[in-house]
Amino acid sequence: MNENGLIIPYLLLLISALPFLSREVSISAYIQGNKKLGLHEGTPLLLSHLLKGSMIFFLFQFISNSSLIWGILFTLFIFPFTILYEKWIRTAIRRHLNNPNHTPLTFFRERSAGCYSFHFILLIMALISLFAFLSEITWMTLLTANLFQVSERWVFLSLLFLVYVYAVAGGFSAIRKVSRLLNVFTFFIVVCLLLYAYLTNGIFSIYHRWTMQQARFDPDLFSGFGTQSLWLFVMISVYFGYLLTNLSLWHISFSMKENRIRTIYRCAVFCFASLIVTLMMIAVFARTTDHGHLSTLISVLNALSHFAPFFAYFLIASLLSIGLISAIVSLKSIMDAFLLIHQDRQNENHRFFKKVYAGSLLLLIVLFAVVRPSMGLLFTSIKLFSLLCIASIPSFSQVMLSRKKISGFGLLPVLSGFLTGLYLFSTPWPILIDLCWSLMISASLQFFIWICQVSLQRE
């Protein structure tokens, strides 16, 4: 593999964003567009927010350890959790917009008891998106540099610029276009690869080799049941926390036609589950092509390249598409948090947005100068992202469900859970225990605050 094959798709993605650059003159249009989304446009855009490229690492780690059943259980549990989220957010949207002078951009301000709590909510969301953005950019950089033998710094810079063009300079319109393009490309490639692998090698023969390897590496299906169950619980909790705290996802939900929200969510969740299952079945096939213990995504791709070079190329392209759209969505969430603070500006114009574009580009240049992509950065970003998502679940569930405004004191569980997790990260305990303790501390404090509020109201 060499870097020449990367230039053409990169330029095509860059050129396709040119018609959308620097067109917005209002914060509302930049964040959520000027028209309501139907099924045709809403489904791929929502799917882009449901996908997380970092989950690929967990996915292939499950499969490499002969844990196909746990990957399937993760997909099955994610489906009802996302449907539950859809019901909650639809109720919250309807309740908010039924009040006079309320707009989608005023939701979190109206849910906050004061300016400080409003800024704290946006800060939490922006930090989660920042760590998600760093993890996506880092794994794509490491994967591309390793497989194509190119400089990590050039790959890192190229990805930063490409994501900037779509998420910052392009805004909502560019993301809507690229989400449809990348999702259609990813689904087409992944489905074709799955059909090619199983039709040319035979479903029974692949299943036979898989079961033989599973028996050799792990003869007991329930070996390590407690640890794997804990992994499943933590992954579902992290993903649910991600749904609750993704600011761009909130705005996408507000942008949908009210009578189409349920249908859009169900279609997007079905596509999401189908893609995850398809990737898992490709990972099963990759495991059967090599007798070694494929424990990383790179080792899986290397094994596939020996089987058929084009197979690995197309799979890499589809995985990078998932990572790219995930990074774009994460950076867009950070921009949304910044712009919500300035939503009361009366002089929104091209000059204001040019300052936003220049400031964002400067910050990304500083990020490029300071950050060096490495496995350490990747795992640190994923750990902090997971920790913040888990610690935010109790408080942000209250933001969604409760009619009462949230004060800064009401967001204290997020801080306590996050600090607890940071302290436990420095101990020799497993990361699973650290995350579970963080969730327990955050939930316990949130429950204590709720009990105090109920007691004070009765008095």
Side-chain angles (χ1 to χ4, degrees):
M1 296 183 181
N2 54 64
E3 69 276 12
N4 294 332
L6 298 174
I7 298 177
I8 294 179
Y10 183 88
L11 291 178
L12 288 177
L13 285 172
L14 196 59
I15 293 173
S16 63
L18 295 180
F20 301 93
L21 301 186
S22 303
R23 294 199 319 174
E24 309 298 353
V25 293
S26 71
I27 291 177
S28 177
Y30 182 92
I31 291 179
Q32 62 175 24
N34 291 316
K35 64 178 183 178
K36 291 292 184 178
L37 300 175
L39 183 64
H40 177 66
E41 292 185 323
T43 301
L45 192 56
L46 177 60
L47 180 60
S48 299
H49 288 72
L50 297 181
L51 290 174
K52 283 299 297 172
S54 303
M55 289 171 54
I56 296 173
F57 286 91
F58 296 105
L59 172 68
F60 279 94
Q61 187 64 38
F62 272 137
I63 304 306
S64 67
N65 292 325
S66 303
S67 303
L68 178 61
I69 183 64
W70 296 102
I72 295 175
L73 285 176
F74 171 76
T75 306
L76 292 177
F77 277 110
I78 284 298
F79 195 91
F81 267 92
T82 309
I83 298 300
L84 177 64
Y85 171 82
E86 176 267 325
K87 291 183 178 180
W88 284 2
I89 201 169
R90 184 157 41 89
T91 302
I93 289 173
R94 185 182 299 113
R95 187 169 61 229
H96 174 73
L97 295 181
N98 283 340
N99 296 318
N101 300 323
H102 283 188
T103 68
L105 302 188
T106 62
F107 178 80
F108 287 101
R109 175 165 289 182
E110 294 298 327
R111 298 295 299 112
S112 307
C115 180
Y116 289 109
S117 59
F118 172 61
H119 289 172
F120 192 24
I121 289 176
L122 295 183
L123 176 62
I124 294 171
M125 290 180 156
L127 284 176
I128 292 176
S129 297
L130 174 62
F131 293 131
F133 174 72
L134 285 176
S135 65
E136 302 296 347
I137 292 291
T138 303
W139 81 257
M140 285 191 293
T141 299
L142 296 176
L143 177 65
T144 305
N146 183 280
L147 293 175
F148 292 88
Q149 303 301 314
V150 293
S151 170
E152 291 183 354
R153 299 297 287 175
W154 279 112
V155 175
F156 190 60
L157 177 63
S158 301
L159 289 175
L160 284 178
F161 180 71
L162 186 61
V163 173
Y164 165 83
V165 168
Y166 278 101
V168 180
F172 181 86
S173 300
I175 294 179
R176 184 174 57 186
K177 180 181 179 65
V178 74
S179 64
R180 187 185 309 165
L181 172 67
L182 293 181
N183 283 325
V184 170
F185 172 79
T186 300
F187 270 85
F188 177 77
I189 292 298
V190 169
V191 170
C192 288
L193 291 179
L194 180 69
L195 292 176
Y196 171 80
Y198 280 81
L199 292 180
T200 57
N201 292 270
I203 297 177
F204 177 77
S205 61
I206 294 176
Y207 171 77
H208 178 70
R209 292 196 299 267
W210 167 258
T211 53
M212 293 293 291
Q213 289 182 354
Q214 189 177 33
R216 183 167 61 253
F217 286 114
D218 189 8
D220 184 6
L221 177 63
F222 297 99
S223 176
F225 179 81
T227 301
Q228 294 182 358
S229 299
L230 197 58
W231 266 115
L232 182 65
F233 170 75
V234 167
M235 288 183 64
I236 293 174
S237 300
V238 169
Y239 189 75
F240 190 63
Y242 163 75
L243 294 180
L244 290 173
T245 56
N246 189 332
L247 186 56
S248 182
L249 177 58
W250 278 86
H251 290 146
I252 292 300
S253 300
F254 270 104
S255 301
M256 298 176 188
K257 296 179 180 178
E258 186 176 356
N259 61 337
R260 290 292 186 181
I261 293 181
R262 178 180 298 179
T263 305
I264 291 173
Y265 262 88
R266 277 155 177 73
C267 291
V269 173
F270 176 78
C271 294
F272 168 77
S274 301
L275 181 60
I276 295 299
V277 171
T278 304
L279 287 173
M280 284 192 294
M281 299 311 297
I282 291 178
V284 168
F285 167 71
R287 178 67 182 274
T288 63
T289 62
D290 193 290
H291 296 294
H293 194 62
L294 306 179
S295 58
T296 64
L297 178 57
I298 292 178
S299 60
V300 169
L301 294 172
N302 286 332
L304 290 175
S305 64
H306 293 297
F307 167 75
F310 79 90
F311 198 111
Y313 273 111
F314 283 117
L315 183 58
I316 291 169
S318 61
L319 296 180
L320 289 177
S321 298
I322 296 175
L324 181 61
I325 192 62
S326 300
I328 291 173
V329 168
S330 297
L331 186 57
K332 174 64 163 49
S333 297
I334 299 174
M335 294 302 302
D336 286 1
F338 171 78
L339 291 174
L340 282 185
I341 301 176
H342 300 85
Q343 60 182 295
D344 296 329
R345 291 179 60 96
Q346 299 299 322
N347 56 340
E348 299 169 10
N349 49 37
H350 285 293
R351 188 175 182 180
F352 167 73
F353 281 98
K354 286 180 180 179
K355 293 180 180 179
V356 173
Y357 301 148
S360 303
L361 183 59
L362 178 62
L363 291 177
L364 288 179
I365 293 175
V366 172
L367 181 66
F368 170 75
V370 173
V371 174
R372 181 178 179 84
S374 64
M375 292 302 295
L377 175 63
L378 174 61
F379 287 122
T380 300
S381 301
I382 292 177
K383 286 166 63 176
L384 293 176
F385 167 78
S386 303
L387 178 59
L388 267 177
C389 285
I390 279 186
S392 302
I393 290 177
S395 296
F396 276 82
S397 296
Q398 185 181 7
V399 170
M400 178 181 287
L401 297 174
S402 176
R403 292 177 178 268
K404 298 178 181 178
K405 294 188 175 183
I406 309 300
S407 63
F409 183 72
L411 294 170
L412 188 60
V414 182
L415 182 61
S416 63
F418 180 68
L419 293 178
T420 300
L422 283 182
Y423 170 74
L424 293 177
F425 281 163
S426 61
T427 65
W429 289 12
I431 185 175
L432 292 178
I433 304 299
D434 300 344
L435 294 176
C436 288
W437 269 108
S438 176
L439 178 59
M440 290 174 58
I441 295 297
S442 180
S444 299
L445 185 55
Q446 187 69 53
F447 180 74
F448 176 75
I449 293 175
W450 178 75
I451 291 295
C452 292
Q453 291 176 343
V454 172
S455 301
L456 291 175
Q457 288 178 354
R458 290 181 177 178
E459 295 177 359

